[in-house]
Structures are given as C-alpha cells and as structure tokens.
Amino acid sequence: MTAVAFDYTAPTTVDDALRALHAPGLTVTPLAGGQSLVPLLTRREIRPDVVVDLNGISALAGIDVGPDRVRIGAMTRLRDLEQHAELARALPVLASAAASVAHPHIRVRATLGGSLCHAAPAAALPAVAVALGADVVLRSVRGARSVPAARFASGAGTTVRARDEVLTEVTFPRIDGLAYEFSELCTRGSTGYPVVGVCLGLQVADGLVRTARVVVTGCGPVPARLPGVEAALAGRPVTGPHPELVASVAREAARGPGYEDQEYRAEVAGVLLLRALSARAGREGR
Ligand SMILES: Cc1cc2nc3c(=O)[nH]c(=O)nc-3n(C[C@H](O)[C@H](O)[C@H](O)COP(=O)(O)OP(=O)(O)OC[C@H]3O[C@@H](n4cnc5c(N)ncnc54)[C@H](O)[C@@H]3O)c2cc1C
C-alpha cells in the first residue's frame, strides 16, 4: 500500500514550521524520524493534507548539559542520546533507555520528540521522561508552553499537544538525588517491540532505600507512577530478596484500564522491578 497524496513542505526554521502547521481546516502532520509516522501513512491509517518535515530545522536538535538542567532538542536522534558522553554521565538512564530501542538503523532516525509525541503505551523514553520529572516544551504561532512529561501523554497514542504545536525540546532536572535504572521486556524477533517496562529511581543511604520512584509502561495507556510501591520500598535494604514486591507491583499495575493480558503484564512489571533493584544494588557494589 502507498500513502494517499499529500502536500509536503520542509521548513528550515521553527517559525516557518509553526506557520505551516497553523492551517485551519487542513490536517497537517509533523514528520520527525518517520519510524512510526511512515508506516501509519503507508497503511493509510492517517491521511494528512500536508506533511511538515522537521528534519531540516537544525535548531531543533542538540544536547545541552547544564549544571542544573539538561535540554534536549526534539529532533535529537536516539542514537545521539545513546552516544553522548556528557549525557551518559549526567543522566545515564536516558542514554541506556535510548540504547534499548529497536536496532541502530531505527535509532539513527528516531527522535526524542517523535517518541514522546507518538506516545506508544510501552515506549521507553516517555516513561523515563516521567520518572526523571522532565518538562516538554511546545510551541505554536500563539506562543510557547511547558507541560510536565507526566501530563503530556493523554492516552494510548495521544497527547495534550495541539494539532498546530511543535514539541521543540525536553528539559530534564539534573540533580534530584536519585539514581535510575530502566528494565523492559520486548517481543522476540527482529522488531523487538517493547511490551512492559519499569523505570526505577532510588536514593539509598547505608544500604537502605530512602526514596523511590517507580514508573511502569505497558500496563495502561500511559506511563504510570506506582506510589504504593514507592512507599513500600522506602526503608528497605536495596538488596533482595523482595518476592512480595512482585505482588505489590502486580496489584497496583493491574488496576490500569485493561489489556486482555493485564495480569500477565502487571506480574512482568513486578519481575522487572526486581531486576532493576538488583542492577542498582550491583552498581552500588552491594
Ligand atoms: C521496528 C521498530 C522497533 C521499535 N522498537 C521500539 C522499542 O524497543 N522501544 C521504544 O520505545 N520504541 C520503539 N519503536 C518506536 C520508535 O522509537 C518510534 O518509532 C520513534 O520513537 C518515533 O520517533 P520518530 O522520530 O521516528 O517520529 P515520527 O515517526 O516521525 O513521528 C511520530 C509521531 O510524532 C509526531 N511528531 C514527531 N516529532 C514531533 C515534534 N517535534 N512535534 C510534534 N509532533 C511530532 C508525528 O507527527 C507523528 O505523529 C520501534 C519502532 C520500530 C519501527
């Protein structure tokens, strides 16, 4: 199958892209790495009047590691997140989660902004952005606004982005005292799509968990924090065994509005949490 005919424009500035997107009465779709959009086009699941290609806008790409915040342009490729040495030191979980996505030939095209805007329920980077307390910056001809990553995805494949807004950058607070791990289960085979994932943030003192942050993916339409599990982790030794945590994650994650295999997914999330805990304990040398 091929896409329906559409007009195509390739602006080189953000302002030109915003003007192209602001076209009342027309369906105008931004194109980033195309890894999700192009299959949707060719299967005719979307039929835009105009495609606005963001690839020529150099101002939308780049990684700036500041003392308090890391700013990442929406068009930054996942491969660049994975290979940026300064980013790997500042936010190692972001680099490792980017590296977990599919194969290198997908990651050289796929972008951070595309991953967040596509909002697949089990995707890695939206979950990590929620766990790290990131903010998403959106611009349109009306101005700019910032939305917490935790409120950006509004459902499976949908976000609060207005049709004429471009996601321009994502900002991550640099120091929150927690160290993070990302662990996921993917489908087998060459595509390796994610099924369930867990992003765990821990602050540990004297071998005990002081603060925990737990975000699960693939157990509901959007990445979700599990406050009950976070509370249950506080005060525990970081080293296991913690078999009851699997049940605790399963209970909380299974409450999401359901997949047919919701119970299985929730149980997998519990096992992934144990893996993340064990990886953290290993890194802390315990
Ligand atoms: C074979 C395969 C395996 C994959 N495996 C994984 C995996 O293991 N883990 C995982 O997390 N993901 C996985 N993915 C998903 C992949 O990460 C996404 O396809 C990719 O992140 C989408 O980014 P993109 O830059 O290609 O966006 P595009 O496909 O170009 O766009 C996606 C959507 O976002 C919109 N959009 C893009 N950028 C912007 C912007 N700046 N502002 C406003 N709207 C925008 C587009 O209009 C479109 O609706 C896989 C994909 C494939 C094809």
Side-chain angles (χ1 to χ4, degrees), residues 178 199-203 208-215 225-237 242 244-245 248-249 251-252 255 273 277:
L178 278 73
C199 188
L200 167 71
L202 284 185
Q203 187 180 34
L208 298 179
V209 175
R210 280 207 166 173
T211 312
R213 194 168 300 168
V214 178
V215 174
R225 270 182 77 171
L226 302 183
V229 177
E230 292 173 356
L233 273 167
R236 283 169 180 262
H242 297 300
E244 72 289 3
L245 274 181
S248 155
V249 175
R251 265 196 311 278
E252 202 166 353
R255 282 189 213 133
L273 177 69
L277 265 173

Short mmCIF file of all heavy atoms in Angstrom, two decimals, residues 178 199-203 208-215 225-237 242 244-245 248-249 251-252 255 273 277:
data_model
loop_
_atom_site.label_atom_id
_atom_site.label_comp_id
_atom_site.label_asym_id
_atom_site.label_seq_id
_atom_site.Cartn_x
_atom_site.Cartn_y
_atom_site.Cartn_z
N LEU A 178 18.40 10.95 43.06
CA LEU A 178 18.05 9.55 42.81
C LEU A 178 18.92 9.00 41.68
O LEU A 178 19.29 9.73 40.77
CB LEU A 178 16.58 9.42 42.42
CG LEU A 178 15.55 9.41 43.55
CD1 LEU A 178 15.39 10.79 44.15
CD2 LEU A 178 14.20 8.93 43.06
N CYS A 199 10.86 1.94 35.05
CA CYS A 199 11.95 2.85 35.35
C CYS A 199 11.93 3.06 36.87
O CYS A 199 10.91 3.46 37.44
CB CYS A 199 11.77 4.18 34.62
SG CYS A 199 13.23 5.23 34.80
N LEU A 200 13.05 2.73 37.49
CA LEU A 200 13.16 2.79 38.96
C LEU A 200 14.18 3.86 39.33
O LEU A 200 15.30 3.86 38.81
CB LEU A 200 13.63 1.43 39.48
CG LEU A 200 14.10 1.39 40.94
CD1 LEU A 200 12.91 1.55 41.89
CD2 LEU A 200 14.83 0.07 41.23
N GLY A 201 13.80 4.77 40.20
CA GLY A 201 14.75 5.75 40.75
C GLY A 201 14.90 5.47 42.25
O GLY A 201 13.90 5.25 42.94
N LEU A 202 16.13 5.46 42.72
CA LEU A 202 16.36 5.15 44.13
C LEU A 202 17.35 6.12 44.74
O LEU A 202 18.37 6.45 44.12
CB LEU A 202 16.99 3.76 44.29
CG LEU A 202 16.14 2.52 44.13
CD1 LEU A 202 16.99 1.30 44.46
CD2 LEU A 202 14.90 2.57 45.02
N GLN A 203 17.06 6.55 45.96
CA GLN A 203 18.08 7.21 46.77
C GLN A 203 18.36 6.24 47.92
O GLN A 203 17.44 5.83 48.63
CB GLN A 203 17.54 8.52 47.31
CG GLN A 203 18.59 9.34 48.01
CD GLN A 203 18.00 10.64 48.53
OE1 GLN A 203 16.83 10.68 48.93
NE2 GLN A 203 18.80 11.68 48.52
N LEU A 208 20.00 1.28 52.77
CA LEU A 208 18.53 1.31 52.83
C LEU A 208 17.97 2.32 51.83
O LEU A 208 18.56 3.38 51.61
CB LEU A 208 18.06 1.73 54.24
CG LEU A 208 18.46 0.80 55.38
CD1 LEU A 208 17.95 1.37 56.71
CD2 LEU A 208 17.90 -0.60 55.16
N VAL A 209 16.82 1.97 51.27
CA VAL A 209 16.17 2.88 50.33
C VAL A 209 15.56 4.04 51.11
O VAL A 209 14.78 3.84 52.04
CB VAL A 209 15.05 2.14 49.55
CG1 VAL A 209 14.30 3.12 48.65
CG2 VAL A 209 15.62 0.99 48.75
N ARG A 210 15.97 5.26 50.73
CA ARG A 210 15.36 6.44 51.37
C ARG A 210 14.15 6.90 50.59
O ARG A 210 13.10 7.17 51.15
CB ARG A 210 16.36 7.57 51.40
CG ARG A 210 17.34 7.45 52.48
CD ARG A 210 17.79 8.82 52.84
NE ARG A 210 18.49 8.77 54.08
CZ ARG A 210 19.11 9.81 54.57
NH1 ARG A 210 19.10 10.95 53.91
NH2 ARG A 210 19.73 9.72 55.71
N THR A 211 14.34 7.04 49.29
CA THR A 211 13.26 7.50 48.42
C THR A 211 13.25 6.62 47.18
O THR A 211 14.32 6.27 46.69
CB THR A 211 13.51 8.95 47.96
OG1 THR A 211 13.86 9.72 49.08
CG2 THR A 211 12.30 9.55 47.28
N ALA A 212 12.06 6.30 46.70
CA ALA A 212 11.96 5.50 45.47
C ALA A 212 10.97 6.14 44.52
O ALA A 212 10.00 6.77 44.96
CB ALA A 212 11.52 4.08 45.80
N ARG A 213 11.25 5.99 43.25
CA ARG A 213 10.28 6.40 42.23
C ARG A 213 10.13 5.22 41.26
O ARG A 213 11.12 4.66 40.80
CB ARG A 213 10.79 7.62 41.48
CG ARG A 213 9.71 8.28 40.66
CD ARG A 213 10.16 9.62 40.17
NE ARG A 213 10.48 10.53 41.25
CZ ARG A 213 11.11 11.69 41.07
NH1 ARG A 213 11.48 12.06 39.88
NH2 ARG A 213 11.36 12.48 42.09
N VAL A 214 8.90 4.84 41.01
CA VAL A 214 8.65 3.68 40.15
C VAL A 214 7.64 4.07 39.07
O VAL A 214 6.53 4.51 39.40
CB VAL A 214 8.10 2.48 40.97
CG1 VAL A 214 7.81 1.30 40.05
CG2 VAL A 214 9.07 2.08 42.07
N VAL A 215 8.05 3.94 37.82
CA VAL A 215 7.14 4.23 36.70
C VAL A 215 7.06 2.97 35.84
O VAL A 215 8.09 2.40 35.47
CB VAL A 215 7.66 5.41 35.84
CG1 VAL A 215 6.79 5.62 34.61
CG2 VAL A 215 7.69 6.69 36.69
N ARG A 225 3.15 6.23 37.47
CA ARG A 225 3.89 6.04 38.73
C ARG A 225 3.09 5.14 39.64
O ARG A 225 1.85 5.13 39.58
CB ARG A 225 4.11 7.40 39.41
CG ARG A 225 5.39 8.04 38.96
CD ARG A 225 5.65 9.34 39.66
NE ARG A 225 6.13 9.17 41.03
CZ ARG A 225 6.59 10.17 41.77
NH1 ARG A 225 6.64 11.39 41.27
NH2 ARG A 225 7.00 9.96 43.00
N LEU A 226 3.79 4.38 40.47
CA LEU A 226 3.12 3.48 41.41
C LEU A 226 3.45 3.95 42.83
O LEU A 226 4.41 3.47 43.45
CB LEU A 226 3.59 2.03 41.22
CG LEU A 226 3.40 1.42 39.82
CD1 LEU A 226 3.84 -0.05 39.83
CD2 LEU A 226 1.95 1.52 39.35
N PRO A 227 2.67 4.90 43.37
CA PRO A 227 3.02 5.47 44.67
C PRO A 227 3.01 4.44 45.81
O PRO A 227 3.80 4.55 46.75
CB PRO A 227 1.96 6.56 44.91
CG PRO A 227 1.00 6.48 43.78
CD PRO A 227 1.53 5.55 42.74
N GLY A 228 2.12 3.45 45.72
CA GLY A 228 2.07 2.43 46.77
C GLY A 228 3.36 1.63 46.82
O GLY A 228 3.89 1.33 47.91
N VAL A 229 3.90 1.30 45.65
CA VAL A 229 5.14 0.53 45.59
C VAL A 229 6.31 1.41 46.03
O VAL A 229 7.22 0.96 46.75
CB VAL A 229 5.37 -0.02 44.16
CG1 VAL A 229 6.69 -0.74 44.06
CG2 VAL A 229 4.21 -0.92 43.76
N GLU A 230 6.28 2.67 45.65
CA GLU A 230 7.34 3.60 46.07
C GLU A 230 7.37 3.65 47.61
O GLU A 230 8.44 3.59 48.22
CB GLU A 230 7.08 5.00 45.50
CG GLU A 230 7.25 5.05 43.99
CD GLU A 230 6.84 6.39 43.39
OE1 GLU A 230 6.35 7.27 44.12
OE2 GLU A 230 7.01 6.56 42.16
N ALA A 231 6.18 3.73 48.23
CA ALA A 231 6.13 3.80 49.69
C ALA A 231 6.62 2.48 50.29
O ALA A 231 7.33 2.47 51.31
CB ALA A 231 4.71 4.10 50.15
N ALA A 232 6.26 1.36 49.64
CA ALA A 232 6.66 0.05 50.18
C ALA A 232 8.17 -0.14 50.11
O ALA A 232 8.75 -0.87 50.92
CB ALA A 232 5.95 -1.06 49.40
N LEU A 233 8.81 0.50 49.16
CA LEU A 233 10.27 0.34 49.02
C LEU A 233 11.05 1.14 50.07
O LEU A 233 12.15 0.76 50.45
CB LEU A 233 10.71 0.81 47.63
CG LEU A 233 10.63 -0.23 46.51
CD1 LEU A 233 10.78 0.45 45.16
CD2 LEU A 233 11.74 -1.26 46.69
N ALA A 234 10.46 2.24 50.52
CA ALA A 234 11.19 3.14 51.42
C ALA A 234 11.54 2.39 52.73
O ALA A 234 10.71 1.69 53.30
CB ALA A 234 10.36 4.36 51.72
N GLY A 235 12.78 2.52 53.12
CA GLY A 235 13.23 1.91 54.37
C GLY A 235 13.74 0.49 54.22
O GLY A 235 14.27 -0.10 55.17
N ARG A 236 13.59 -0.10 53.05
CA ARG A 236 14.06 -1.48 52.85
C ARG A 236 15.52 -1.53 52.44
O ARG A 236 16.00 -0.59 51.81
CB ARG A 236 13.33 -2.11 51.67
CG ARG A 236 11.96 -2.55 51.95
CD ARG A 236 11.33 -2.87 50.63
NE ARG A 236 9.99 -3.29 50.81
CZ ARG A 236 9.63 -4.57 50.86
NH1 ARG A 236 10.51 -5.53 50.69
NH2 ARG A 236 8.37 -4.89 51.05
N PRO A 237 16.18 -2.65 52.69
CA PRO A 237 17.52 -2.80 52.12
C PRO A 237 17.41 -2.89 50.60
O PRO A 237 16.44 -3.45 50.08
CB PRO A 237 18.02 -4.13 52.70
CG PRO A 237 16.86 -4.77 53.34
CD PRO A 237 15.75 -3.78 53.50
N HIS A 242 13.14 -9.74 47.53
CA HIS A 242 11.92 -8.98 47.83
C HIS A 242 10.74 -9.61 47.09
O HIS A 242 10.08 -8.94 46.29
CB HIS A 242 12.05 -7.55 47.33
CG HIS A 242 13.13 -6.76 47.98
ND1 HIS A 242 13.19 -6.52 49.33
CD2 HIS A 242 14.20 -6.12 47.46
CE1 HIS A 242 14.24 -5.76 49.61
NE2 HIS A 242 14.89 -5.52 48.48
N GLU A 244 7.76 -10.30 47.79
CA GLU A 244 6.43 -9.70 47.97
C GLU A 244 6.26 -8.42 47.14
O GLU A 244 5.15 -7.98 46.88
CB GLU A 244 6.15 -9.42 49.45
CG GLU A 244 6.92 -8.28 50.07
CD GLU A 244 8.41 -8.55 50.26
OE1 GLU A 244 8.91 -9.63 49.87
OE2 GLU A 244 9.08 -7.66 50.78
N LEU A 245 7.41 -7.85 46.69
CA LEU A 245 7.30 -6.65 45.85
C LEU A 245 6.63 -6.96 44.52
O LEU A 245 5.94 -6.12 43.95
CB LEU A 245 8.68 -6.06 45.57
CG LEU A 245 9.22 -5.10 46.61
CD1 LEU A 245 10.58 -4.61 46.16
CD2 LEU A 245 8.28 -3.92 46.82
N SER A 248 3.11 -6.75 45.05
CA SER A 248 2.70 -5.37 45.30
C SER A 248 2.62 -4.58 43.99
O SER A 248 1.67 -3.84 43.74
CB SER A 248 3.67 -4.77 46.31
OG SER A 248 3.74 -3.41 46.22
N VAL A 249 3.64 -4.76 43.11
CA VAL A 249 3.60 -4.09 41.80
C VAL A 249 2.42 -4.62 41.01
O VAL A 249 1.66 -3.86 40.39
CB VAL A 249 4.91 -4.34 41.01
CG1 VAL A 249 4.81 -3.75 39.61
CG2 VAL A 249 6.09 -3.74 41.74
N ARG A 251 -0.38 -5.86 41.97
CA ARG A 251 -1.67 -5.32 42.45
C ARG A 251 -1.89 -3.90 41.92
O ARG A 251 -2.93 -3.58 41.39
CB ARG A 251 -1.68 -5.28 43.99
CG ARG A 251 -2.32 -6.49 44.63
CD ARG A 251 -2.66 -6.24 46.08
NE ARG A 251 -1.56 -5.68 46.85
CZ ARG A 251 -0.56 -6.39 47.37
NH1 ARG A 251 -0.52 -7.69 47.21
NH2 ARG A 251 0.40 -5.80 48.07
N GLU A 252 -0.85 -3.06 42.05
CA GLU A 252 -1.04 -1.65 41.68
C GLU A 252 -1.10 -1.47 40.16
O GLU A 252 -1.91 -0.71 39.65
CB GLU A 252 0.09 -0.80 42.29
CG GLU A 252 -0.31 0.65 42.40
CD GLU A 252 0.61 1.48 43.30
OE1 GLU A 252 1.50 0.91 43.96
OE2 GLU A 252 0.42 2.70 43.32
N ARG A 255 -4.34 -2.39 38.15
CA ARG A 255 -5.55 -1.56 38.25
C ARG A 255 -5.80 -0.74 36.99
O ARG A 255 -6.87 -0.19 36.81
CB ARG A 255 -5.41 -0.59 39.42
CG ARG A 255 -5.66 -1.27 40.73
CD ARG A 255 -5.73 -0.23 41.82
NE ARG A 255 -5.21 -0.80 43.05
CZ ARG A 255 -4.34 -0.22 43.84
NH1 ARG A 255 -3.86 0.96 43.55
NH2 ARG A 255 -3.93 -0.83 44.92
N LEU A 273 10.88 -4.91 38.11
CA LEU A 273 11.29 -4.05 39.23
C LEU A 273 12.39 -4.75 40.03
O LEU A 273 13.39 -4.13 40.42
CB LEU A 273 10.09 -3.74 40.14
CG LEU A 273 10.47 -2.91 41.37
CD1 LEU A 273 10.85 -1.49 40.97
CD2 LEU A 273 9.36 -2.87 42.39
N LEU A 277 16.09 -3.36 40.69
CA LEU A 277 16.66 -3.26 42.05
C LEU A 277 18.00 -3.97 42.12
O LEU A 277 18.97 -3.46 42.70
CB LEU A 277 15.72 -3.94 43.05
CG LEU A 277 14.70 -3.07 43.77
CD1 LEU A 277 13.77 -3.96 44.56
CD2 LEU A 277 15.38 -2.07 44.71
#
